[in-house]
């Protein structure tokens, strides 16, 4: 398993993967040296993440290999189906998965998402529209949702 660190508009991102695909993308809160030597397996993921942050990409096509239980993978697959620029509540997500009573399990699986941004768990909000937990921090969730919003609010001042 290879590991690299890249700089993004929302902080330093750690990527891990091998020939089977990228298995982990997370955001760090501490300062760490950015990788200067990048193995080939990361070329496509870095390019696509850069395009996403530049506003030129709305979905990802590089190979992923998330590690988790079958239930977690089922939840993560449903997260991938949430369109760019849209949100979904935990309750709606539970209904899509066929069990409204599984809302806590769905939320827990969402919280274990190993591929932030690629599997867009930041698009899941509370039923009342509130921003709820995000492994990268709520400020980053807010930033990502604003970044993906097709109707950008310009500052009046």
């Amino acid at each position: 398993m290879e590991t690299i660190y890249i700089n993004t508009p929302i902080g330093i991102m750690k990527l891990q993967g091998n020939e089977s695909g990228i298995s982990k993308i997370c955001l760090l809160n501490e300062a760490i040296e950015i990788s200067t030597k990048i193995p080939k397996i990361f070329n496509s993921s870095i390019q696509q993440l850069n395009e996403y942050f530049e506003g030129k990409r709305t979905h990802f096509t590089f190979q992923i290999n998330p590690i988790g239980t079958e239930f977690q993978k089922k939840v993560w697959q449903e997260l991938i189906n949430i369109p760019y620029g849209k949100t979904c509540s935990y309750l709606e997500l539970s209904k899509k998965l066929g069990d409204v009573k599984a809302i806590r399990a769905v939320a827990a699986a969402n919280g274990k998402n190993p591929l932030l941004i690629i599997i867009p768990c930041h698009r899941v909000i509370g039923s009342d529209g509130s921003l709820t937990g995000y492994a990268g921090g709520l400020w980053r969730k807010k930033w990502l949702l604003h970044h993906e919003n097709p109707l950008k609010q310009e500052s009046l001042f």
Side-chain angles (χ1 to χ4, degrees):
M1 187 76 60
E2 300 269 1
T3 301
I4 62 164
Y5 301 91
I6 63 171
N7 198 20
T8 75
I10 55 174
I12 296 173
M13 189 174 276
K14 176 182 177 179
L15 288 81
Q16 291 182 312
N18 58 26
E19 300 78 28
S20 298
I22 306 303
S23 57
K24 185 171 183 107
I25 295 178
C26 62
L27 291 156
L28 305 178
N29 290 320
E30 67 272 5
I32 194 161
E33 192 171 325
I34 303 301
S35 301
T36 54
K37 189 175 179 184
I38 307 293
K40 270 186 176 179
I41 59 170
F42 295 107
N43 288 347
S44 182
S45 57
I46 291 172
Q47 177 186 351
Q48 290 184 36
L49 281 163
N50 285 335
E51 291 169 355
Y52 169 82
F53 284 116
E54 292 167 1
K56 299 175 183 174
R57 177 173 289 277
T58 60
H59 70 281
F60 300 93
T61 59
F62 61 87
Q63 187 171 345
I64 61 173
N65 185 26
I67 298 167
T69 67
E70 287 306 311
F71 178 76
Q72 288 170 335
K73 289 179 181 180
K74 185 177 173 184
V75 172
W76 300 337
Q77 185 55 53
E78 196 59 47
L79 291 172
I80 291 172
N81 294 331
I82 303 172
Y84 180 92
K86 303 290 183 187
T87 58
C88 175
S89 72
Y90 290 99
L91 181 59
E92 291 170 316
L93 194 56
S94 297
K95 287 178 182 177
K96 288 179 183 179
L97 289 162
D99 187 357
V100 71
K101 294 178 183 174
I103 192 167
R104 289 182 190 260
V106 167
N110 194 51
K112 299 277 187 192
N113 173 14
L115 292 165
L116 296 184
I117 298 174
I118 310 311
I119 298 175
C121 58
H122 60 278
R123 296 179 189 156
V124 182
I125 59 173
S127 294
D128 62 358
S130 64
L131 295 185
T132 55
Y134 183 63
L138 284 180
W139 74 270
R140 287 183 175 123
K141 182 172 188 164
K142 184 177 180 179
W143 190 97
L144 291 166
L145 292 173
H146 178 74
H147 176 70
E148 293 182 1
N149 187 339
L151 303 171
K152 303 285 189 222
Q153 175 66 44
E154 295 295 325
S155 174
L156 297 175
F157 306 100

